[in-house]
Amino acid sequence: MRRILVLTGFLCASLASARAEIIGAPTPRTVTEDEMKASLREIDLVGANAAPLDLRALMANGRPTLVSLWAHWCPNCLAEMKGFKAIAAACPDRWNMVFVSARASDYAKDTAKFKTYGLPWKIFRVGDSTKTDVAKAKSARAFYGATADGGVVTPLHYLVGASGRVDAIVSGRLNFEEPQRLAAFCAD
């Protein structure tokens, strides 16, 4: 019960704080929140050497999951790295952590930059099926949270509870190094 209260408090605090941490004006999206949530069950992710990641199975393994769209060119993504290092030092296996290139075409650059942080997690990209499968392309647009101008707002975080349900989608930088957020990520 304590874990649920801590996680619920974390998510509520995250949403309230995340809105305050978004840089710039809110961006209109061409996809709905429900489409974004559903995309986590439909998206194909691949890592190094095109090794697939079964995100659905990962989200169903009984641990909470953070899926974070990340980019080497994104100042807010880079600013979050100190907090992710704190999580890696305190409790690297408490959550499933999945980082995804915000643009598949930047995967090599994102991977190179991501490796410089020495984090225990990997970075993935959206699979090539989006180039030939219309449904997969639609899921990818939803997963990226496509904006009205066709862009992507980074970072974008999907917080998925241990039950596999998407508890929150947070657009913008989160300061994961704040004591209450780090405690929420490490609570049992």
Side-chain angles (χ1 to χ4, degrees):
M1 182 62 156
R2 181 185 181 294
R3 181 176 161 210
I4 292 170
L5 292 174
V6 169
L7 184 57
T8 302
F10 166 75
L11 292 174
C12 291
S14 293
L15 289 175
S17 298
R19 286 190 180 96
E21 293 174 333
I22 292 175
I23 305 300
T27 306
R29 299 191 186 278
T30 61
V31 295
T32 67
E33 182 178 332
D34 287 340
E35 289 171 319
M36 291 174 73
K37 289 177 180 179
S39 72
L40 290 176
R41 306 251 180 259
E42 301 162 357
I43 197 76
D44 292 330
L45 298 178
V46 295
N49 301 320
L53 171 69
D54 188 345
L55 185 58
R56 291 161 289 285
L58 190 67
M59 292 187 314
N61 77 358
R63 289 192 298 183
T65 302
L66 172 71
V67 179
S68 182
L69 270 71
W70 194 87
H72 71 278
W73 44 263
C74 165
N76 289 320
C77 299
L78 302 178
E80 289 179 336
M81 287 295 109
K82 187 175 178 184
F84 284 120
K85 283 184 173 187
I87 292 169
C91 57
D93 298 324
R94 169 71 181 89
W95 282 61
N96 302 313
M97 303 290 258
V98 179
F99 293 86
V100 181
S101 284
R103 293 191 297 222
S105 60
D106 283 347
Y107 180 67
K109 290 178 183 176
D110 288 344
T111 299
K113 182 66 175 180
F114 191 80
K115 283 182 180 180
T116 67
Y117 292 102
L119 297 172
W121 310 295
K122 297 177 182 175
I123 188 164
F124 298 87
R125 66 175 173 81
V126 170
D128 293 334
S129 61
T130 60
K131 296 176 184 174
T132 57
D133 184 323
V134 173
K136 293 288 185 182
K138 183 177 178 182
S139 290
R141 282 190 300 280
F143 175 72
Y144 287 130
T147 63
D149 66 359
V152 176
V153 175
T154 55
L156 178 68
H157 304 287
Y158 291 89
L159 294 155
V160 182
S163 68
R165 182 180 63 113
V166 179
D167 291 325
I169 300 171
V170 182
S171 290
R173 185 180 73 82
L174 289 175
N175 186 352
F176 291 107
E177 65 192 290
E178 289 178 354
Q180 74 274 16
R181 290 197 180 136
L182 182 58
F185 266 88
C186 295
D188 285 328

